[in-house]
Amino acid sequence: MDVFVCAGCEAVLSAPVARVALPVHARQRWGHSLMPVLMESGTYAVDPEPGGPAGAAVLAPGDLRGTVLLPERCDGCCGSAGGDGPNLACVRCGLPVATRVDDCGYWQEVWCDPGATRIVPGADAEVPSRWAELAEECAPLPPVAPEGWWDPRWAAAVGAVLAGVVALSGGRPVAVEPGPLAATLGRAVDALLPPGPPGRTVVLAGPGLPVPEGPRALALVPVHPRTGEVWPCPGGVDGVPLDAAVWLHVAQGPDELPHPAAGRMPAGVHRDEPLPLRPLTLFRADLDVFLRTLSRLPAFHEPWLRRIHEEVRGRGYAWAPF
């Protein structure tokens, strides 16, 4: 477990926290409602490719200690959007050390300024990724939130995967296997790539699943939620990283359909109510996550890929699958 301290006076600024992988939906903006906390209590993550200060670290607001809010730097509608710079100062010396974000449409988070804070590492040894126990590291994430709308974490995960699939397509048609990914990823793939017989097929791969064969497979593989390690594909198969919680949901297969039963309800038989949640709108991948991920891929220098990036960015949310 690590702790954050003030670079100016060495005051402790956080509870003990463990480093995990940066969630794919970090820095995501979604709608206009109040969002939950980004990081689980007791964890933090460092942005390896930041949109802000290099090496910025994010943690849950409840894990922060010894800071005071600077109201004059709290822009936003219902809270702070973080646009006015660090809005939390060290209580002991007054140095601005972090930025709290909690405005509507933003995940609630605290970004520690790497120039004003320092991480003091704990003595715990690093534990290697254990893929066989992936389900114990995180819970499967259904695509529909309990409130009945598409979960924004799915939108971010699919936006990132879409960038990887498009980049590996070579600009040729790609097929997506039937299932939840066809209803979410498939529409955007069909809109961005030309029609015709598919050159490659998107499949799911990872711990416990059959190994895909042949160079035509585009394997969606899980990203370890603690270490950020991508599940290694066998030789000759291209892998596209997918958020582990989303991957687990798809890997478990479709939910069992309810069926009628006579007499008393036997154990293990589902009732036929309530009906499964069905959002009123078609799924849209997160546009910003797609563009940001695409621009960071090695293949982005290819002219055809840059044209897709510019076209999607220019049309914005007028682009149907987004």
Side-chain angles (χ1 to χ4, degrees):
M1 303 291 279
D2 307 331
V3 294
F4 286 78
V5 300
C6 175
C9 67
E10 296 294 314
V12 174
L13 300 178
S14 78
V17 286
R19 182 169 178 173
V20 297
L22 184 73
V24 67
H25 51 284
R27 303 190 187 277
Q28 178 191 38
R29 183 173 183 181
W30 187 263
H32 300 284
S33 59
L34 296 178
M35 301 286 283
V37 175
L38 174 70
M39 303 298 298
E40 291 187 10
S41 179
T43 68
Y44 77 97
V46 177
D47 194 343
E49 299 178 3
V58 61
L59 63 160
D63 285 333
L64 208 62
R65 303 288 187 270
T67 61
V68 61
L69 192 66
L70 303 174
E72 66 276 10
R73 293 189 178 183
C74 293
D75 62 334
C77 171
C78 301
S80 172
D84 289 341
N87 56 23
L88 292 169
C90 172
V91 169
R92 181 185 293 178
C93 69
L95 179 69
V97 292
T99 303
R100 174 161 182 159
V101 178
D102 54 12
D103 198 10
C104 51
Y106 292 85
W107 292 89
Q108 297 185 41
E109 55 201 14
V110 169
W111 288 92
C112 291
D113 187 333
T117 61
R118 186 169 60 86
I119 300 173
V120 179
D124 297 345
E126 184 175 345
V127 180
S129 303
R130 295 177 295 180
W131 291 108
E133 302 174 7
L134 181 61
E136 299 178 9
E137 298 283 351
C138 66
L141 178 66
V144 182
E147 297 81 7
W149 55 67
W150 295 110
D151 195 296
R153 292 168 292 181
W154 260 74
V158 173
V161 163
L162 177 62
V165 169
V166 170
L168 290 171
S169 71
R172 295 182 291 274
V174 169
V176 181
E177 287 188 335
L181 288 174
T184 54
L185 175 66
R187 292 179 57 245
V189 167
D190 291 343
L192 293 176
L193 298 177
R200 310 191 73 174
T201 301
V202 175
V203 298
L204 203 68
L209 296 183
V211 177
E213 298 180 359
R216 295 183 69 253
L218 283 177
L220 304 188
V221 297
V223 179
H224 200 279
R226 179 170 43 80
T227 66
E229 179 186 354
V230 179
W231 188 81
C233 282
V237 178
D238 288 323
V240 179
L242 176 61
D243 178 81
V246 173
W247 184 92
L248 282 168
H249 176 82
V250 180
Q252 288 181 352
D255 296 335
E256 182 183 351
L257 295 177
H259 55 276
R264 296 176 62 87
M265 189 67 65
V269 175
H270 295 287
R271 299 184 64 90
D272 59 358
E273 81 282 345
L275 294 174
L277 293 174
R278 293 290 185 268
L280 298 177
T281 60
L282 293 174
F283 179 86
R284 289 189 171 198
D286 190 292
L287 172 65
D288 293 331
V289 173
F290 167 75
L291 293 174
R292 185 167 62 248
T293 305
L294 191 65
S295 67
R296 294 174 176 174
L297 295 177
F300 187 61
H301 68 277
E302 298 287 344
W304 68 271
L305 202 57
R306 295 183 71 93
R307 284 195 297 269
I308 289 178
H309 182 278
E310 293 304 314
E311 184 174 3
V312 173
R313 186 176 66 174
R315 296 184 62 180
Y317 279 93
W319 190 271
F322 295 99

